[in-house]
Amino acid sequence: MTRSLRDALFLRLRRMGGLPLTPHTPLPAGGSYLIALDVERDLVLTIGALGRRALPRGVYAYAGNARRGLRARVERHLRPAKVKRWHIDHLTSRREVRPLTA
């Protein structure tokens, strides 16, 4: 993805209210969330029972829900070093994957 396309996506998400998560972003205790990710090169991942999966370079969105601890869940997903508990963890722990917004 080119830098200009990345910047355009970021600005569009900002206008839509999908501002990047910061420590000061107010969040409810629970609810749904969406994380936009930039996969900078083609990847082959091994994901639990799903096995090996090819993932082409591009921008992806991950939707999730947390009944409680919404901030902790999103921050956990964005942290590169973690125990792989959800499918998204196999992707966000790779250095070739960069979060665009949450």
Side-chain angles (χ1 to χ4, degrees):
M1 170 185 288
T2 66
R3 182 182 174 110
S4 60
L5 181 58
R6 233 180 258 143
D7 292 344
L9 176 63
F10 180 80
L11 289 174
R12 182 153 176 88
L13 287 167
R14 179 178 294 233
R15 281 189 215 115
M16 293 170 55
L19 297 173
L21 183 68
T22 70
H24 306 292
T25 305
L27 292 176
S32 299
Y33 57 92
L34 184 72
I35 300 173
L37 301 166
D38 180 17
V39 176
E40 296 175 342
R41 68 177 183 88
D42 295 347
L43 297 176
V44 177
L45 302 170
T46 302
I47 305 173
L50 293 175
R52 291 173 56 85
R53 299 288 172 164
L55 192 67
R57 180 180 101 183
V59 175
Y60 293 85
Y62 175 78
N65 189 344
R67 291 185 183 182
R68 55 186 169 74
L70 179 60
R71 175 177 296 282
R73 173 77 58 87
V74 172
E75 287 175 346
R76 180 194 187 287
H77 284 325
L78 298 178
R79 205 171 47 237
K82 62 188 157 272
V83 174
K84 293 176 181 77
R85 185 171 180 185
W86 290 279
H87 292 111
I88 185 78
D89 295 339
H90 294 271
L91 186 58
T92 57
S93 62
R94 299 288 299 258
R95 68 175 172 263
E96 302 91 342
V97 177
R98 189 173 64 88
L100 296 173
T101 189

